[in-house]
Amino acid sequence: MSTDELFPLYIVISVVVFLFFMFFLFIQLYLKAKKENVGGCCGAEVKPTPKHKRSDDHRS
């Protein structure tokens, strides 16, 4: 087999390896973002609400 016959095989293998690493990188970043809740709809950090309201509206 000459190099000209193997050239399409090299291209296919390179594309498959590239797509594998891009998929692996995407999964890693997705799991990290999910762990840190980046861009999520629901905030992981809930703001604490005061247990009693101030009674400032009863001024005389």
Side-chain angles (χ1 to χ4, degrees):
M1 293 183 101
S2 67
T3 307
D4 294 336
E5 295 173 354
L6 292 176
F7 188 68
L9 184 63
Y10 292 149
I11 292 176
V12 169
I13 291 174
S14 300
V15 169
V16 168
V17 169
F18 175 75
L19 290 177
F20 173 76
F21 280 116
M22 290 301 290
F23 181 73
F24 180 75
L25 181 66
F26 174 76
I27 293 296
Q28 292 296 317
L29 291 176
Y30 174 75
L31 291 175
K32 182 179 180 183
K34 188 175 180 182
K35 181 180 177 184
E36 296 176 1
N37 199 19
V38 175
C41 66
C42 308
E45 297 178 8
V46 177
K47 294 181 179 178
T49 56
K51 294 184 179 178
H52 54 83
K53 295 181 178 180
R54 294 182 181 176
S55 57
D56 291 339
D57 54 352
H58 297 294
R59 295 179 189 168
S60 24

